[in-house]
Amino acid sequence: MTGTTEKKVILSGIQPTNKLTLGNYLGAIKQWVRIQNDYDAYFMAVDQHAITARQDPAQLRKNTLFSVACYIAAGIDPERCVLFIQSQVHQHSQLAWTLNCFGYMGELSRMIQFKEKSAKSGSNIPVGLFTYPLLMAADILLYDTALVPVGDDQTQHVELTRDIAERMNGIYGPDTFVIPKAHIPKVAARVMDLLTPTSKMSKSAVNENGSIFISDSAADIERKFKRATTDSETVIAFDTENKPGVSNLLSIQSAITSESLEEVIARYEGKQYGHLKLETAQIVIKELIPIQQRAQELVDEKTELNRILKMGAERASEHAERTIKRIHERIGYVVI
Ligand code: ATP
Ligand code: LTN
C-alpha cells in the first residue's frame, strides 16, 4: 500500500522547453535543494509536457540533459533523491490514460494555463495541451506524493490532481491515492522580467534580454542587469507596486544571499540605482557561473550523468510500478 517509506514524498518537475532561467533556479531548484533532505524527494525534467508545444528534437534533448545537469550542479543530490527524465519512466503515460477516463471536460476547460496557451495556438490546438494536467496528475500520484513544490501558477493543476484523486478514492477505496498538496516557496516566489518587471521572468519570454538564463555568460548577465528597467526616482526601497524593477533586484539579492530585504536595503543607503544593478549582477554571476560550469562538465563528460539518469529512472520505475499494479487491480484490469 501507499506510504512505504518513512519520510513524506515530495515531487516536482520543470519543462525543458528552453534554457532554465534565474526564476526557475530561485523559485524552484534552490528551494528543492533546501528541502531535499527532509523528504523522500523526486525531481524530474518533464520532457513529455514540453512537447505540448513544438520542439526541435536536438534542442529538446540538449535542454533536457542540461536541465538535469543543472539540478545536480545546483546541489540536488542524485544519490539521496530520485532524479530522472519523465519519458524514461513509461508508467507516467500509462497512468495518464487511466486518469483521462476520470478527469472531466468541464474541469479541464477551466484550467487557466490551457486557456492562455490554447489562445496562442491558433486553430490547431494539440489535444495534449488540454490533457496536460492529467499527465501532471499522473506524475504526482504515481509516487504517493504528499507535497508538490510549484509556483503559484501551478496550484490549479495540483487542485485538479486532488479532485481526481479524491474522486477515485471515493470509487475504489480511500487508500487508492495519497492526496497531494501544493507547496509554495516563501522567498523569491516570483522573479520578475528585467525589462518588464510587472511580468514573471520566463523561459519563453519574447525578449531574451529580460531573462537571465543559468547558461548566460558573466558579460551577458552584467549587460542584462545594467539595462534592467527601474523607475524615474532615486530612492532604493522595496515597493512592488510603484518600484517593481528596484524591488525585483532587491529580492533577487535577498534570495541568493539569504539576507532579509531590510538588510539588503540598508546596504544601499545613499547609493544609486547603478550600484544596485551592478552589485546584483555580481551576486548573480557568483552564484550561477560555478553551476553552469559544473552542469556543462556533466553534460560533456556524459558517463556520470548517464549513470545517474539510469539509476534515477530505475528507482522511479520501481515505485511507479507498485502504484500501477495497485490501480490496475482496483480498476479491474487483469494483473498477472
Ligand atoms: P515557460 O516560459 O515555458 O512557461 P517558465 O520559465 O515560466 O516556463 P515553468 O516551467 O512554468 O517556468 O516553471 C517551472 C517552475 O519554476 C515553476 O513551478 C516555478 O516554481 C518556477 N518558476 C518559473 N519562473 C519563475 C519565476 N519567474 N520566479 C519564480 N519561480 C519561477
Ligand atoms: N506543469 C508544471 C511542470 C510539471 C510539474 C509536474 C510540477 C509537470 N509535472 C509534477 C510539479 C509536479 C509547470 O509547468 N511548472
Side-chain angles (χ1 to χ4, degrees):
M1 202 5 260
T2 53
T4 45
T5 46
E6 277 169 35
K7 287 181 178 174
K8 281 189 179 172
V9 175
I10 197 158
L11 170 138
S12 197
I14 303 179
Q15 299 188 60
T17 36
N18 196 350
K19 298 166 284 181
L20 298 179
T21 66
L22 180 66
N24 298 132
Y25 172 68
L26 293 177
I29 304 171
K30 208 171 154 75
Q31 309 288 337
W32 300 352
V33 172
R34 201 166 284 153
I35 56 181
Q36 62 180 335
N37 295 335
D38 302 334
Y39 298 94
D40 192 4
Y42 290 72
F43 299 118
M44 59 187 167
V46 289
D47 53 347
Q48 290 179 293
H49 279 108
I51 66 159
T52 50
R54 285 289 159 271
Q55 302 293 328
D56 171 74
Q59 205 56 47
L60 176 63
R61 198 166 291 125
K62 195 171 161 204
N63 288 336
T64 305
L65 288 171
F66 191 73
S67 68
V68 284
C70 282
Y71 298 178
I72 301 167
I76 293 295
D77 178 353
E79 305 298 329
R80 190 184 279 259
C81 305
V82 181
L83 175 62
F84 65 105
I85 297 172
Q86 185 188 37
S87 64
Q88 297 192 336
V89 182
H90 67 261
Q91 287 87 349
H92 291 248
S93 339
Q94 214 176 351
L95 183 60
W97 170 256
T98 299
L99 300 184
N100 263 268
C101 300
F102 290 87
Y104 298 145
M105 297 289 288
E107 60 194 356
L108 286 169
S109 317
R110 284 194 290 277
M111 294 295 113
I112 295 162
Q113 184 175 299
F114 170 68
K115 287 192 213 167
E116 285 175 357
K117 296 208 169 171
S118 58
K120 290 184 199 152
S121 297
S123 50
N124 289 327
I125 302 165
V127 176
L129 204 55
F130 186 68
T131 55
Y132 177 115
L134 298 172
L135 177 60
M136 179 162 164
D139 297 341
I140 296 169
L141 298 176
L142 266 182
Y143 301 99
D144 306 308
T145 305
L147 290 174
V148 188
V150 278
D152 47 10
D153 61 319
Q154 294 298 312
T155 49
Q156 199 186 21
H157 290 161
V158 180
E159 280 302 314
L160 178 79
T161 305
R162 289 169 62 89
D163 290 346
I164 294 176
E166 275 164 1
R167 184 172 307 151
M168 291 181 74
N169 281 3
I171 304 170
Y172 298 110
D175 56 355
T176 303
F177 285 126
V178 169
I179 309 296
K181 253 209 283 210
H183 180 274
I184 315 284
K186 285 193 191 74
V187 197
R190 262 188 150 211
V191 178
M192 308 310 276
D193 187 277
L194 295 187
L195 296 177
T196 318
T198 42
S199 335
K200 184 183 100 147
M201 181 182 288
S202 122
K203 284 184 244 118
S204 48
V206 190
N207 189 340
E208 292 211 337
N209 287 322
S211 301
I212 299 289
F213 298 101
I214 298 187
S215 52
D216 276 349
S217 66
D220 277 340
I221 296 174
E222 194 170 299
R223 178 179 53 79
K224 289 179 185 180
F225 273 104
K226 271 190 184 157
R227 290 199 202 156
T229 304
T230 45
D231 51 65
S232 54
E233 298 176 5
T234 52
V235 185
I236 297 180
F238 189 80
D239 176 353
T240 48
E241 190 99 332
N242 301 306
K243 303 169 85 61
V246 167
S247 305
N248 190 33
L249 301 181
L250 292 169
S251 55
I252 289 173
Q253 284 207 20
S254 150
I256 295 179
T257 62
S258 303
E259 287 170 295
S260 66
L261 281 170
E262 290 71 27
E263 286 170 322
V264 179
I265 292 165
R267 282 199 277 109
Y268 286 98
E269 232 183 79
K271 290 198 184 171
Q272 288 156 3
Y273 287 176
H275 295 121
L276 176 66
K277 289 182 183 184
L278 217 67
E279 285 169 22
T280 310
Q282 294 312 327
I283 287 171
V284 170
I285 289 169
K286 202 167 149 228
E287 181 87 356
L288 292 188
I289 298 294
I291 295 175
Q292 77 178 222
Q293 283 172 347
R294 176 73 190 124
Q296 195 57 51
E297 276 166 22
L298 280 163
V299 168
D300 291 342
E301 196 270 337
K302 287 195 185 88
T303 330
E304 173 66 356
L305 190 57
N306 285 344
R307 180 191 71 80
I308 289 170
L309 291 173
K310 190 161 177 280
M311 172 178 74
E314 279 167 9
R315 286 163 62 193
S317 242
E318 214 179 278
H319 191 152
E321 193 53 31
R322 284 204 302 275
T323 307
I324 289 288
K325 285 235 161 69
R326 182 173 79 237
I327 304 307
H328 283 193
E329 298 242 359
R330 291 183 186 206
I331 286 185
Y333 291 161
V334 175
V335 178
I336 299 171

